[in-house]
């Protein structure tokens, strides 16, 4: 799915950034990929989701090489307040307006579903039908910081 990425999004981070700073894609999972316990245990089923994406949805962006944003500030605030209260929120845009994107409900994934393979397949399917939570968009693109939100 390609969506127009010339628009502004919202991103949370634990460190201060300046306007114009580029946030490199793939930083979200970069530490996990070098952590043998994380790789072995796959607590958030990232490797399962990547295997399903690679097998059935190869044109979708890899979570291992992506940047993550929220479509609106309210979702970014909710995410931050629930999971990372000390994070800052920045207004950002994708650096590559042509990078493939994927839109999901960030609250939909959990690792206790009965059939994790089916859940991973559903995660990559469009349209995704989840009843609660905000949407997260990710793309294989760096982010450019536009302003503090």
């Amino acid at each position: 799915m390609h969506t127009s990425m010339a628009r502004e999004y919202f991103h949370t981070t634990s460190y201060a950034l300046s306007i114009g700073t580029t946030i490199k894609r793939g930083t979200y999972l970069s530490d996990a990929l070098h952590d043998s316990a994380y790789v072995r245990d796959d607590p958030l089923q990232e490797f399962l989701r990547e295997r399903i994406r690679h097998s059935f949805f190869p044109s979708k962006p890899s979570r291992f090489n992506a940047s993550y944003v929220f479509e609106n500030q309210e979702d970014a605030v909710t995410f931050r307040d629930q999971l990372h209260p000390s994070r800052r929120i920045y207004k950002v845009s994708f650096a590559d307006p042509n990078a493939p994107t994927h839109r999901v409900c960030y609250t939909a994934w959990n690792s206790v579903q009965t059939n994790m393979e089916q859940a991973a397949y559903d995660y990559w399917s469009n349209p995704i039908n989840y009843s609660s939570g905000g949407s997260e968009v990710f793309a294989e693109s760096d982010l450019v910081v536009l302003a503090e939100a």
Side-chain angles (χ1 to χ4, degrees):
M1 173 174 150
H2 289 273
T3 58
S4 171
M5 290 190 285
R7 61 174 282 204
E8 296 175 347
Y9 294 98
F10 297 86
H11 179 76
T12 67
T13 186
S14 57
Y15 45 89
L17 297 168
S18 301
I19 294 172
T21 299
T22 298
I23 304 169
K24 295 294 183 191
R25 66 184 184 191
T27 57
Y28 166 66
L29 290 169
S30 62
D31 292 338
L33 293 174
H34 301 348
D35 179 338
S36 60
Y38 190 95
V39 172
R40 180 189 66 236
D41 299 337
D42 197 12
L44 297 176
Q45 303 292 306
E46 294 289 356
F47 296 99
L48 170 63
R49 283 188 275 183
E50 182 62 12
R51 183 173 51 80
I52 297 296
R53 182 204 65 80
H54 183 74
S55 296
F56 298 100
F57 306 96
S59 65
K60 301 259 184 180
S62 168
R63 289 179 54 82
F64 292 122
N65 194 31
S67 294
Y68 300 82
V69 297
F70 297 96
E71 292 184 304
N72 60 63
Q73 189 170 358
E74 179 183 356
D75 288 342
V77 168
T78 300
F79 175 83
R80 180 201 58 200
D81 291 351
Q82 289 177 349
L83 298 173
H84 307 283
S86 63
R87 283 193 172 187
R88 298 169 185 252
I89 299 174
Y90 290 92
K91 195 177 288 188
V92 298
S93 65
F94 286 108
D96 179 357
N98 298 312
T101 63
H102 187 61
R103 181 179 181 265
V104 296
C105 174
Y106 70 85
T107 61
W109 183 261
N110 68 61
S111 299
V112 295
Q113 297 168 349
T114 306
N115 183 339
M116 292 308 298
E117 296 241 352
Q118 183 62 51
Y121 186 90
D122 293 345
Y123 177 87
W124 294 106
S125 299
N126 281 322
I128 198 158
N129 294 316
Y130 293 120
S131 59
S132 66
S135 23
E136 173 183 56
V137 176
F138 57 94
E140 290 187 13
S141 172
D142 295 342
L143 297 175
V144 177
V145 176
L146 304 174
E148 189 158 3

